[in-house]
Amino acid sequence: DVKVTQSSRYLVKRTGEKVFLECVQDMDHENMFWYRQDPGLGLRLIYFSYDVKMKEKGDIPEGYSVSREKKERFSLILESASTNQTSMYLCASSPPRGEDGYTFGSGTRLTVV
Amino acid sequence: SQQGEEDPQALSIQEGENATMNCSYKTSINNLQWYRQNSGRGLVHLILIRSNEREKHSGRLRVTLDTSKKSSSLLITASRAADTASYFCATGNSGTYKYIFGTGTRLKVLA
């Protein structure tokens, strides 16, 4: 069963900490994405990557960075966590054109205190 | 940059009834997809309809697309309690692999 795995379901971090959210896919997909989901705002794209070591900013990249050293792994980094980054984070992957749809991970609910 | 807007925001129906959700978007698209999200989980891809298609079926799901009105609808027939979830549309533009998601419709099916 093909899947996207996010390393943590729930995470609690302190303000100012550096936070790493990990995502691994086993489908050999070129594209990988990080979204955050907040009530009433839907899914907002933070960053995406269409190839190893390639990345592009999404709609809300401020306060985040990403790393894609290997095709199967896409990491989201919160350089200095703040309370307004408390959210559900969703990782997804897709083939090059995305026409088969995205495959999502189960999500990481991050709370910054 | 939100593209899709689902309507209604929330919907509550009895088991066995049909549920209809609508999605409107602003710019031209290559295709439109619908996803389901169970509470606190990731999204699951349901169905894709291309811009040159008007209707598509998958099991109890029926999706229509009207590109002249920039709108799509998702119909779930004979709903079940297990259909309780949020449903999102996502639009893709030609030549891009980025899809833009709407804010979702929360469906509650009462047993």
Side-chain angles (χ1 to χ4, degrees):
Chain A
D1 192 20
V2 294
K3 59 184 180 182
V4 174
T5 303
Q6 292 183 232
S7 52
S8 305
R9 286 281 290 128
Y10 299 95
L11 212 51
V12 180
K13 295 292 181 181
R14 296 196 179 276
T15 302
E17 275 192 77
K18 190 169 186 176
V19 181
F20 293 85
L21 302 183
E22 306 286 350
C23 176
V24 177
Q25 52 100 357
D26 64 4
M27 294 163 286
D28 202 34
H29 282 168
E30 284 76 6
N31 302 333
M32 295 188 76
F33 307 84
W34 275 106
Y35 289 87
R36 66 175 281 177
Q37 184 178 24
D38 300 287
L41 297 177
L43 276 74
R44 292 181 291 167
L45 182 63
I46 305 172
Y47 267 97
F48 65 99
S49 168
Y50 51 90
D51 202 351
V52 175
K53 296 190 187 294
M54 305 301 288
K55 61 186 179 185
E56 283 194 27
K57 294 180 180 179
D59 299 319
I60 51 164
E62 296 78 20
Y64 303 94
S65 62
V66 290
S67 172
R68 193 165 181 202
E69 296 296 318
K70 294 184 177 181
K71 191 175 185 180
E72 67 270 19
R73 186 179 297 268
F74 193 35
S75 303
L76 179 69
I77 304 155
L78 286 67
E79 298 292 341
S80 177
S82 64
T83 55
N84 63 13
Q85 292 179 310
T86 291
S87 186
M88 169 71 99
Y89 289 87
L90 293 165
C91 175
S93 71
S94 79
R97 291 190 171 214
E99 290 201 338
D100 293 330
Y102 290 3
T103 301
F104 279 86
S106 296
T108 294
R109 187 165 294 279
L110 173 67
T111 302
V112 182
V113 298
Chain B
S1 55
Q2 221 65 39
Q3 164 83 303
E5 290 277 340
E6 287 91 342
D7 170 58
Q9 289 188 333
L11 180 61
S12 186
I13 60 173
Q14 294 294 130
E15 205 167 29
E17 293 180 342
N18 295 341
T20 300
M21 290 156 267
N22 303 296
C23 170
S24 59
Y25 56 91
K26 296 173 185 168
T27 62
S28 63
I29 61 170
N30 195 38
N31 63 69
L32 185 146
Q33 303 181 25
W34 284 91
Y35 289 78
R36 183 187 75 230
Q37 183 182 33
N38 290 92
S39 180
R41 309 296 293 185
L43 279 71
V44 175
H45 180 254
L46 295 176
I47 194 166
L48 177 150
I49 186 164
R50 301 183 195 286
S51 58
N52 61 356
E53 297 175 309
R54 292 294 166 259
E55 188 171 312
K56 203 160 181 181
H57 296 254
S58 177
R60 292 184 297 113
L61 304 180
R62 173 179 167 248
V63 170
T64 61
L65 180 64
D66 187 335
T67 53
S68 66
K69 294 182 179 177
K70 292 187 169 60
S71 69
S72 172
S73 68
L74 171 67
L75 169 68
I76 303 174
T77 60
S79 63
R80 305 165 182 168
D83 294 327
T84 294
S86 291
Y87 291 82
F88 294 84
C89 67
T91 51
N93 296 321
S94 179
T96 181
Y97 37 73
K98 262 197 316 179
Y99 284 80
I100 300 174
F101 289 79
T103 52
T105 291
R106 293 188 313 279
L107 172 66
K108 187 168 186 178
V109 181
L110 304 169

